[in-house]
Amino acid sequence: MSVPYGNVRVTHIWGEEDAKTKEVAEKCAIPNIVKNHTDMLGHVDGVICVRRHGGKHLEDALPFLQAKIPAYVDKPLACSVADARAMIAAAQASGVGFSS
């Protein structure tokens, strides 16, 4: 059972550092730790991408945007204009919410 945040429940988490990801999952009562961020596809109805390196955000967000899953991407949105445009285009093509 995940801890609800208003009408939102955080049910899945992925991170680059296994120990830190497990710590956050335990602290926040997030029941599912996945090995790859795309393992969440089909299990979530929105994502928050918070990797510290903006150059990774396209890789993180694009599969979800293409699957019509809304995404919030932490700052910086991207490290290139091309990556930013690709995320915006994917969100527009899918008709889903997208913010940073």
Side-chain angles (χ1 to χ4, degrees), residues 3-26:
V3 174
Y5 301 93
N7 293 330
V8 175
R9 287 183 312 127
V10 179
T11 60
H12 291 71
I13 188 171
W14 170 81
E16 294 177 295
E17 299 174 26
D18 290 344
K20 181 67 175 172
T21 302
K22 183 177 179 183
E23 177 186 335
V24 171
E26 289 173 357

Side-chain angles (χ1 to χ4, degrees), residues 41-63:
L41 288 166
H43 301 285
V44 299
D45 57 11
V47 295
I48 301 171
C49 302
V50 293
R51 246 201 282 196
R52 296 198 185 271
H53 192 293
K56 306 275 186 174
H57 286 159
L58 176 63
E59 169 188 333
D60 293 345
L62 192 60

Side-chain angles (χ1 to χ4, degrees), residues 6 46 65 67 88:
L65 295 171
I88 293 165

